[in-house]
Every structure is written in C-alpha cells, then in structure tokens.
Amino acid sequence: MRKRVFSGIQPTGSLMIGNYLGAMQNYVKLQDDYDCVYCIVDLHAITIQQDPKELKARSREVTGLLLAAGIDPKRSILFIQSHISAHSELAWILNCFIPMGWMQRMTQFKEKSAKHREQVSVGLFDYPALMAADILLYNTDVVPVGEDQKQHVELARDAAQRFNSIYGETFVLPEPLIPDVGARIMGLDDPTKKMSKSETASGHAIDLLDPPDAIRAKIMRATTDSQREIRFDSSRPGIFNLLTIYHLFSRRSQKDIEAQFEGKGYSDFKEALAEVVIEGLRPLQERYRELTADPTHIDSILADSAARARPTAEKVLAEARRKVGLG
Ligand code: TYM
C-alpha cells in the first residue's frame, strides 16, 4: 500500500510563487510515489471575513491552478473542504482534546491576530484544530507544506498522539515534509517578510496568473541592497531571495548561477530572472486558460473527488465518535 499524502491551500487572495515553489511543486511530484489528497480549505478562509461571491470563485480558481500545475485528478483527490462535513465535526472533537496552551504558542495566530486586530475570531484562534482534523481524517503519513505551516502539522501530530494515548490507536501520526530550498519565499518589496497571498501591496508577490509585463515590472522593482556581487549569501536577504527564485525556476545549480552572473549587475540579473519566471509560468497559465474555458469542468472534478474522499473521512470520524462515546 502506498503511503498517504494530504495537504491544503486557502482560497484567499491570488496564489503566488511562494505557494508554487514552497508547496504546489511538491504536491505534483509526490503523486508518483504516494496516494495524494489535496484540499481547498474554504472553512479556514472564513476565519477572516471574506466576500461570499469572491470566496466561491477563488475556490474554483485555486482548483484550476492546482490542475494546471499538474495535479492529476485521476490519480489524486482534489476537493473543497466544506463539501465534506466530517472536517468540521472532527475539529470539534479535537477541540476538546487540545490544551489552550498549545494553541497559544502558535506563531501564525500571533502574527495574524496582530494584523487583523479589529476582527480576531475564535475561529482564527482555533484554526490549527481544523487543520489537524483535515490531516487526521485521511490517515495521513506525510504533509507537504512550506516552513510557515510546520508548527501546525506538529500540533496535529501531538493532538493525534494525545487522543491515541487516551483511547488507543485511532489516528495515524503525520509528519511535515518541507522542501530544502523554497520553503520560505520572501516578499519582493520587503525580503525580511514572508511572501503572502493576503498581502495586497502591488510589488509584494508574483501571482501565478500575472501577465509577463507585471512580472517584469515587479522583479525590476524588487528590493536588493547596495552591494554588487550576485552570490547566494543568506545574510543579504533581497538578492538571496531572488537567486533562490531563479534557482528553483531554472533548475540550475547555485554554483552555475553564480558563475553566470559573475561581474554582472543587478539589473542584468533581474532581467534574466524575469524571463525564467515568465517562461516557467507560461505552460501553467496556458493550461489554466484551457481548463477554465468550460466552467462546468472544474465543478465536475470537485464533485467526483469529494465522493472519493468522503468514505475515508467518514470512517475515521465514525471511529473517533465511537471511541469518545458519542451517539
Ligand atoms: P496557505 O494557503 O497559506 O499556503 C499554502 C501552502 O503554501 C505554502 N506557502 C509558502 N511556501 C513558501 N514560501 C512562502 N512565502 C509561502 N507562503 C505559503 C504554505 O506553507 C502552504 O504549504 N493552513 C494552511 C492550509 C491548510 C493545510 C491543511 C495545509 C489547511 N489544512 C492541512 C496542510 C495540511 C495554509 O493556510 O496554507
């Protein structure tokens, strides 16, 4: 039996190259060796208030982008979280086993609650419990994520362990899988901050559907430093981040890249970077346009996938309910 991979992505804002390099490329590769389940997590999205129409449209856009990036709906399952009610129900059960102290340690909550001070919902605080439910419902072994989600996956594992130690083996213990390079792509406007799809500043992120001109303009404006050498030096966050993006899109070694730009200036490098990003995204953008030409196509894939995902989720939920004494 192949091991199970599960991961999720929020349909908030436009997917950007941080999502692509930190997570989506891994989702695609893992399909060769694992049984993969990928989820568009709209219940997580509403932890921060969303425009209802936009949320629904974004869920389809994210599905289209995942398909365009290479998720094969015949081999993998790709569904919308709220289509399977077991996610909310298991989240409630896990809520009753996760100590407040564990949640209070979550760095992402601290960051998000500082940013959305006026509307910090209980759901935002509880976000990791829902994420644990997502993962545990599918007997997940491996969770491919970027660096920012590692702490949440560890919490899911701790919650599973705690539940199992009280009620006996119920949940499989998941492990995070973080790429060696690209796990934390930084903002182009401020390379000390993680690139984020919810950040709206125009020079911050390259969106997967950005046209070539926009990509070029954003890269040419990206923050670097006052030095000259083009080297992978993590103490120079701006140029280091751009070089990392170049490395991941070109698939060339760091040594080769440094040799190529020896003696060249930042603007030559940025022009070359813009070209590899534009060419790297071109096939994805073309496939996306083809896939979305028929709007019913995506919905039929989502319905079929949810039907395939549901039996596993319901079986695991039934077991947890029985163990706790519900019903
Ligand atoms: P989300 O939607 O913020 O991001 C989706 C994936 O993209 C990764 N990522 C990045 N990787 C590298 N550099 C960046 N700047 C960058 N920004 C985002 C994220 O680490 C993530 O892997 N809570 C999750 C969604 C989720 C989930 C799950 C994930 C819900 N349930 C269960 C795994 C398993 C989130 O908000 O991801």
Side-chain angles (χ1 to χ4, degrees), residues 6-12 15-24 27 39 41 44 81 108 112 127 130-132 134-135 143-150 152-153 182-187 194-197:
F6 179 96
S7 200
I9 193 155
Q10 284 199 74
T12 44
L15 291 197
M16 42 79 190
I17 58 169
N19 302 122
Y20 183 67
L21 301 173
M24 291 164 70
Y27 298 174
C39 184
V41 294
H44 278 106
Q81 187 184 33
Q108 194 162 72
K112 284 197 186 177
Y127 183 113
L130 179 59
M131 187 161 155
D134 299 340
I135 296 169
V143 186
V145 281
E147 180 65 40
D148 62 333
Q149 297 300 320
K150 184 167 177 245
H152 292 160
V153 179
R184 193 172 171 82
I185 299 293
M186 309 306 279
K194 188 192 69 168
M195 189 181 282
S196 159
K197 61 173 130 65

Side-chain angles (χ1 to χ4, degrees), residues 109-281:
F109 174 72
K110 291 183 199 158
E111 285 164 19
K112 284 197 186 177
S113 55
K115 205 165 147 194
H116 300 274
R117 226 176 262 285
E118 70 295 349
Q119 51 148 325
V120 180
S121 64
V122 177
L124 186 66
F125 181 69
D126 197 35
Y127 183 113
L130 179 59
M131 187 161 155
D134 299 340
I135 296 169
L136 301 181
L137 277 176
Y138 299 92
N139 301 317
T140 303
D141 300 292
V142 178
V143 186
V145 281
E147 180 65 40
D148 62 333
Q149 297 300 320
K150 184 167 177 245
Q151 198 184 29
H152 292 160
V153 179
E154 286 166 353
L155 184 139
R157 185 184 172 90
D158 291 345
Q161 218 152 18
R162 188 181 174 98
F163 191 99
N164 289 354
S165 74
I166 301 171
Y167 294 109
E169 271 324 288
T170 310
F171 298 121
V172 173
L173 302 185
E175 296 268 9
L177 178 72
I178 318 272
D180 294 335
V181 183
R184 193 172 171 82
I185 299 293
M186 309 306 279
L188 299 184
D189 56 343
D190 180 355
T192 62
K193 283 208 194 115
K194 188 192 69 168
M195 189 181 282
S196 159
K197 61 173 130 65
S198 54
E199 178 61 62
T200 48
S202 79
H204 173 76
I206 296 175
D207 296 344
L208 298 184
L209 292 174
D210 270 348
D213 285 352
I215 297 176
R216 233 175 255 120
K218 287 178 182 179
I219 290 177
M220 295 314 288
R221 270 190 287 134
T223 302
T224 48
D225 54 38
S226 56
Q227 300 190 40
R228 299 184 62 88
E229 263 180 303
I230 299 176
R231 270 198 299 112
F232 283 87
D233 173 356
S234 58
S235 70
R236 294 164 56 200
I239 194 72
F240 183 76
N241 188 45
L242 297 181
L243 279 164
T244 301
I245 297 170
Y246 191 94
H247 166 62
L248 292 167
F249 272 104
S250 67
R251 296 169 205 261
R252 295 184 37 216
S253 75
Q254 303 195 347
K255 226 170 117 216
D256 275 5
I257 296 169
E258 287 181 343
Q260 181 186 350
F261 293 104
E262 172 96 63
K264 299 241 168 73
Y266 283 173
S267 101
D268 289 332
F269 167 64
K270 283 179 165 180
E271 274 166 27
L273 173 62
E275 288 320 302
V276 294
V277 175
I278 291 166
E279 289 315 312
L281 293 180

